[in-house]
Amino acid sequence: PLLRTPADTASAVWMCRQSGTLYIKVYREQTLRMAEALPAAGEADLLYVAERLQQAFALREYVLIAAGDDAKACGKLLKGYFKRIVCE
């Protein structure tokens, strides 16, 4: 999943959770700033990652592109962190 490039890379955070692993890519001005794969079994893990990302990046300036097994649930859970959410 980390090899896939989302359509919007202007200011976007792409998150894809599959089989208990959370894949994250952070783009700013069409440049990849961070890519990571982390274990994420539940919602608490997603919230923890969002808090840590918030410390490094101003997430309100980013669009969340949610993909994977539970994209809609991920988007609903993290809607307070991002200015806009797109589910793939």
Side-chain angles (χ1 to χ4, degrees):
L2 286 178
L3 296 176
R4 188 172 160 267
T5 302
D8 181 11
T9 59
S11 291
V13 175
W14 178 81
M15 288 188 181
C16 177
R17 190 164 74 163
Q18 291 179 335
S19 304
T21 302
L22 179 64
Y23 301 95
I24 306 166
K25 293 170 87 173
V26 179
Y27 291 92
R28 185 71 174 183
E29 298 172 358
Q30 274 71 16
T31 303
L32 180 64
R33 302 292 181 176
M34 185 190 101
E36 192 75 42
L38 305 166
E43 291 182 353
D45 297 318
L46 289 174
L47 291 171
Y48 175 78
V49 168
E51 284 293 326
R52 296 297 301 209
L53 285 173
Q54 178 64 30
Q55 292 172 3
F57 305 97
L59 293 183
R60 285 308 251 167
E61 299 173 6
Y62 289 78
V63 172
L64 172 63
I65 302 170
D69 297 339
D70 54 355
K72 282 191 176 187
C74 178
K76 282 184 178 183
L77 182 66
L78 300 177
K79 68 181 177 183
Y81 291 94
F82 296 92
K83 70 175 180 181
R84 188 169 60 95
I85 297 172
V86 176
C87 295
E88 292 183 339

